[in-house]
Amino acid sequence: VVSLESPGALAFDALDPATGALRPRASVALDPTERTYDWQLSNDGRVLLLVRDPWRARPERLAILSLADGTVQDVAMPPASECVPHSGSFAPNGALVLGCESGAAAAWHLALLDPSSGRTTRLWASEGDGAIYRPLVSPDGTHIVFTLERFDDDVWLAALPH
C-alpha cells in the first residue's frame, strides 16, 4: 500500500510490484491546513492507522481508515494520557501501540491505547531526549520493536505486557 497526499485528500493505493500498476483502495479527506504525519497498515491489511499532525491542538490525533469502504473512525486521546502520538501500529488484541511525546517536558514514551475504552498504559520511557518512532508489534504479539532517534537511529526491542 502506498499513499499520495494532495490538497484536501490522502489517497491509498495497492501497488503491484511486478507491474508497477496502482489500484485505488481508499481516500480520506484532509483539512487543508493539516497533514497526515504517519500511517501504518494493520497486520491483516484491512485498515490503516493514521496519525494526524501532532502539532495541531485537537484530541482526534488518530484515525482508523477502512480500506474496504473508506470509512474513518476517529480515535481521541484521553486528556490525561500525556501522549502526543507521532507514530503507531496495531497490537493483536486491537489496542494501538504509540510512540508519544510527553507534553512540555518533551520526553518520549511508548504507550498502549485501548480505542474502545480510551485507557492508556505507559509501556516504556526514554531517558533524556530521543524520539520514539515506528513501533511495530511482533507477529506473536509478545514484543515491540521501535526506533529511538537521538544522534543516530537505534533499534530497540521491548516486551509487550499481556
Side-chain angles (χ1 to χ4, degrees):
V1 173
V2 296
S3 66
L4 176 64
E5 192 166 337
S6 62
L10 180 63
F12 294 94
D13 299 329
L15 171 67
D16 182 339
T19 65
L22 294 173
R23 181 174 46 93
R25 293 293 307 266
S27 179
V28 61
L30 296 177
D31 178 322
T33 64
E34 181 177 51
R35 65 187 179 100
T36 298
Y37 191 70
D38 191 29
W39 61 268
Q40 183 66 40
L41 185 65
S42 64
N43 292 335
D44 62 12
R46 296 187 307 181
V47 295
L48 289 164
L49 173 63
L50 303 174
V51 180
R52 294 185 172 129
D53 193 337
W55 294 278
R56 294 280 309 246
R58 62 183 288 173
E60 300 84 17
R61 296 182 193 277
L62 305 171
I64 298 173
L65 170 66
S66 168
L67 292 176
D69 61 13
T71 57
V72 176
Q73 172 194 351
D74 286 325
V75 179
M77 293 299 302
S81 71
E82 292 188 15
C83 174
V84 177
H86 285 256
S87 61
S89 66
F90 295 91
N93 64 358
L96 304 175
V97 179
L98 305 171
C100 301
E101 188 174 3
S102 305
W108 289 77
H109 66 274
L110 279 174
L112 193 63
L113 169 66
D114 179 345
S116 60
S117 70
R119 189 173 143 232
T120 59
T121 304
R122 190 176 288 214
L123 301 175
W124 183 84
S126 69
E127 295 178 8
D129 61 350
I132 296 172
Y133 290 108
R134 292 294 188 187
L136 295 171
V137 179
S138 63
D140 65 3
T142 60
H143 291 86
I144 303 167
V145 65
F146 58 96
T147 62
L148 179 62
E149 298 177 3
R150 290 188 178 154
F151 297 109
D152 56 2
D153 291 350
D154 297 320
V155 178
W156 289 61
L157 182 69
L160 181 64
H162 291 280

